[in-house]
Every structure is written in structure tokens, then in C-alpha cells.
Amino acid sequence: MKNILITGGAGYIGSHTAVALEESGYTPIIIDDFSNSEKSVLVGLKNILGKEVKTYEGDCNDKSLVQKIFRENKIDGVIHFAASKAVGESTKIPLRYYSNNIGSLLVLLEVMKEYDVKNIVFSSSCTVYGQPDVLPVLESTPRKEAESPYGNTKKICEDILHDHVKSKAGVKVIALRYFNPIGAHPSSEIGELPIGVPANLIPFVTQTAVGIREKITVFGSDYETKDGSCVRDYIHVLDLADAHVKSLEYLDSKQDDFIDIFNVGTGNGNTVLEVIKAFEKVSGKNLNYEIGARRAGDIEKVWANTDKVNKLLGWEAKYSLEDSLRDSWNWQKKLSGMEE
Ligand code: WQD
């Protein structure tokens, strides 16, 4: 049973990936400082898996803790999710973002070297593309000036990984550029846990539908899109989790000093208004929304070209937008004690 260290494994994507790993015959080990997650996630994981996931509470920047984990467990691979990820917040506290997001990767790579651990899957983001000139966006599309310190940390981490591989450090790396992760585990045992007012669209939609938020504002309807609202590639978190398992399997087949980058999206774009309509259909709820001003920093439209991940990793998205919205809605009803 290969042990895979998941940094930020109690987070939204990390926890769903822990399930996918266990179900694929791996043994997930979590390190999480719970700064953006809750211990209840570990209970959810136990309810899904019927067993506890070994978890270390702490910060990935704490080298002695990371060394302890590698000393106490034979780690066969790492999936590095742990990072500060709020685009807006990153413009207010950029130094914390650079220190946390870049520092934790450096610590991990150093300790992996100490223990001769070769495989790492890195959580990157489509945000590195900025507004692509050509859509769907290809991995070979030149990355643009990052719209935020958060996006810049992802670009810098990709560059660090490239240089580390080029130095013949003996590692094998895959960076996955996520598009917009949404949805929740169908059991409603785990899902997205936004802390405070949600920045992202779907949690705001579901919180409006249960009455936590009075209404949702569509940030702009004057974009060059079919209905004027922004286009994104919304991917079910289960599909995203599966892409990480397929990445580890792919790395096993590669020689040392390997790196590659993959888009992980559905390959389809949907507008904000289409998402709202789809949610109303799935939930049977009329959503209280209004059209408002554009949000600073938003790009107009982006969706993935997924040919490379389909071909090389043998992965494609299986869940539809409606599947994702249904799972998000069921999760929100569970969180709000509204289970039917
Ligand atoms: C989606 C669309 C908004 C809220 C960000 C990061 C990305 C990744 C996902 C970390 C946009 C619109 C939203 C609302 C709205 N994060 N919207 N009303 O900005 O595409 O991506 O989160 O990896 O890196 O950049 O996601 O969910 O915030 O917005 O109209 O109340 O929904 O304008 O068009 P985004 P989002």
C-alpha cells in the first residue's frame, strides 16, 4: 500500500483526493494546519472510508514536522495542495502568500530529497493564464502577468519545480492546472467549507438558496459572452480528485528528472447566468440574484483544452455541471440541517 502525503489534505480538494486515493489502493496521510478547514472533515472521511486517515496537524513550512512525517512513514509520493488561495485576500497580504505558498513547496522538496522521495503532484491553477487570447486554452499557451499575488505564487512554484527538475535532483513532477472546482462528495459527508462570506460562486449560490445570504450579485453582464456574464470551466471535485490518482500512476511509469503540466477541466465553458439557471433546475429553487458591476481582477472567459490530459493520463471529466450543482446543493442542505 503506497503511502501518499497530502498536504492540505483536510481541505476541499485534498479531502476528496484522500477518498480517491484510498479507493484506488493507496494509503493517504494528511498534513494540515486547519487554518482553512475543520476537524469535522476527518470525521467525514472516516464515515466514507470506514477508517481513520492518519493526520498530522501542523504547517508545511515547519521543516521539523515534515521531516518527522517522512521519518515515521515510508512516503512514496506527495500531493501538494496546502496553500493560501483567496485571490482577493492575496492582494491585501501578499507577503504572507509568497512566504506560505512558496516556502511550503521549498520545505517539501528539500525533505523529499533527504528521504529520496521522487514523485510529487503540484496543485496549480488556470489563473496562470490570465485572459487567454485563444480558447480553449492549451498548456503551451504562454502564461500571462498574474492577476494577483496568489496567481503569481502558482507561476513561481511552477518555475521552481522546472528548475529543480532541470538540476537533475531525481524527482518526477506533474503540475495540474485546475479550472473551477465545484461540487461535493455524493454522500454529503465532505464538501466545500468556505469560511466567512464565500468568494467563490457556487458556495454563494447554495448559501443564497438556503437563505444564509439574502441575494447573489452577478458580477457583470457586459462581457463579450453569450449572455454578457463571465465564462468558466466548472469541474466536479470528484473528477479533479481522480486526476491526481491518474497523475501518480503516470509518474510511476516515468523516469527520473521528469516534469509535465496538465490542464484539468471539463473542456466546456459555462456563463454565470447559465450556472444559476442550471442550479435553479437542479434544486427547484428560484435564486434571488441581481446583476451588478464587474468584479476587479475577473477575466472574461476561460475553459480548458483537455486533449493532453485525456491522451497522456487517460483521464476525462465524467460529471456534468448539473451533477456538480446537485452534489453542492445536497451538501449545503446537510450543512444547514435541511436534509429531506
Ligand atoms: C467564478 C465566476 C465571478 C461570485 C478563482 C480563482 C481560481 C480558483 C477558483 C483557486 C466569476 C462570478 C462569483 C459571486 C459572481 N481558486 N461570481 N458572483 O474567480 O473564476 O477563480 O477561484 O485555485 O484560481 O481565481 O472563481 O468562483 O470566484 O468566480 O458573479 O458572488 O463567478 O465574477 O465570473 P474564479 P469564482
Side-chain angles (χ1 to χ4, degrees):
M1 293 281 264
K2 286 188 174 176
N3 295 326
I4 304 296
L5 177 62
I6 315 177
T7 71
Y12 176 37
I13 306 166
S15 55
H16 289 81
T17 302
V19 172
L21 285 169
E22 185 70 41
E23 291 175 347
S24 304
Y26 291 92
T27 300
I29 296 172
I30 289 172
I31 175 173
D32 204 304
D33 63 6
F34 293 94
S35 60
N36 192 26
S37 181
E38 293 170 11
K39 297 282 174 63
S40 61
V41 170
L42 302 181
V43 176
L45 286 175
K46 184 174 181 183
N47 292 341
I48 295 170
L49 297 172
K51 60 196 284 193
E52 299 215 345
V53 176
K54 190 173 191 181
T55 299
Y56 291 81
E57 180 169 359
D59 185 343
C60 299
N61 287 282
D62 176 353
K63 190 167 184 177
S64 59
L65 173 60
V66 177
Q67 287 169 324
K68 172 179 159 67
I69 296 171
F70 279 71
R71 196 168 52 248
E72 292 180 352
N73 307 274
K74 182 186 175 305
I75 301 295
D76 299 288
V78 178
I79 304 180
H80 185 37
F81 292 106
S84 307
K85 56 144 265 181
V87 170
E89 183 190 53
S90 75
T91 61
K92 299 183 180 65
I93 48 170
L95 299 185
R96 178 123 37 106
Y97 271 68
Y98 286 108
S99 166
N100 181 36
N101 295 3
I102 294 165
S104 58
L105 177 63
L106 294 175
V107 165
L108 258 183
L109 294 174
E110 286 159 9
V111 179
M112 284 174 67
K113 191 101 184 83
E114 285 172 30
Y115 286 85
D116 195 28
V117 175
K118 297 181 177 300
N119 298 338
I120 178 168
V121 179
F122 174 69
S123 164
S124 190
S125 169
C126 64
T127 203
V128 302
Y129 295 116
Q131 175 57 64
D133 300 326
V134 177
L135 287 167
V137 65
L138 285 159
E139 289 86 350
S140 55
T141 300
R143 299 173 310 170
K144 282 196 174 161
E145 197 54 39
E147 312 274 333
S148 69
Y150 160 74
N152 208 26
T153 66
K154 291 300 180 183
K155 285 176 68 174
I156 292 167
C157 286
E158 288 187 0
D159 294 344
I160 288 168
L161 289 163
H162 272 289
D163 288 345
H164 189 49
V165 169
K166 273 196 300 218
S167 76
K168 302 283 184 226
V171 294
K172 302 188 274 184
V173 178
I174 280 181
L176 297 180
R177 288 175 179 165
Y178 306 160
F179 284 71
N180 286 57
I182 62 171
H185 194 272
S187 66
S188 294
E189 289 291 346
I190 54 174
E192 197 164 1
L193 272 175
I195 294 172
V197 178
N200 293 130
L201 177 64
I202 301 309
F204 212 110
V205 162
T206 59
Q207 287 191 12
T208 303
V210 289
I212 296 171
R213 308 290 161 199
E214 192 252 331
K215 67 176 182 292
I216 181 165
T217 304
V218 175
F219 295 141
S221 62
D222 58 350
Y223 288 98
E224 293 295 311
T225 64
K226 65 173 81 163
D227 58 26
S229 60
C230 291
V231 175
R232 295 289 185 276
D233 184 332
Y234 295 98
I235 175 170
H236 198 300
V237 65
L238 291 182
D239 279 326
L240 189 52
D242 184 41
H244 291 78
V245 179
K246 296 274 193 317
S247 294
L248 288 170
E249 292 164 355
Y250 184 68
L251 284 178
D252 272 345
S253 68
K254 300 313 245 179
Q255 297 303 312
D256 289 2
D257 306 321
F258 169 84
I259 183 166
D260 211 348
I261 294 185
F262 295 90
N263 286 337
V264 187
T266 65
N268 306 308
N270 285 108
T271 68
V272 175
L273 288 169
E274 281 176 333
V275 169
I276 288 176
K277 288 284 165 275
F279 178 81
E280 290 184 323
K281 181 179 154 212
V282 157
S283 64
K285 290 274 186 182
N286 279 325
L287 209 57
N288 183 15
Y289 69 92
E290 65 175 10
I291 304 291
R294 293 184 173 195
R295 179 174 69 175
D298 273 343
I299 61 159
E300 180 174 78
K301 49 195 169 192
V302 66
W303 64 95
N305 178 303
T306 58
D307 294 346
K308 187 176 174 185
V309 69
N310 299 155
K311 195 158 115 269
L312 295 183
L313 293 195
W315 172 93
E316 62 180 355
K318 295 197 284 288
Y319 296 94
S320 68
L321 176 67
E322 287 72 19
D323 293 331
S324 303
L325 294 172
R326 183 173 308 109
D327 289 336
S328 291
W329 177 228
N330 289 336
W331 166 245
Q332 180 66 63
K333 286 188 285 182
K334 165 91 178 284
L335 281 180
S336 310
M338 284 174 56
E339 265 181 306
E340 279 130 12

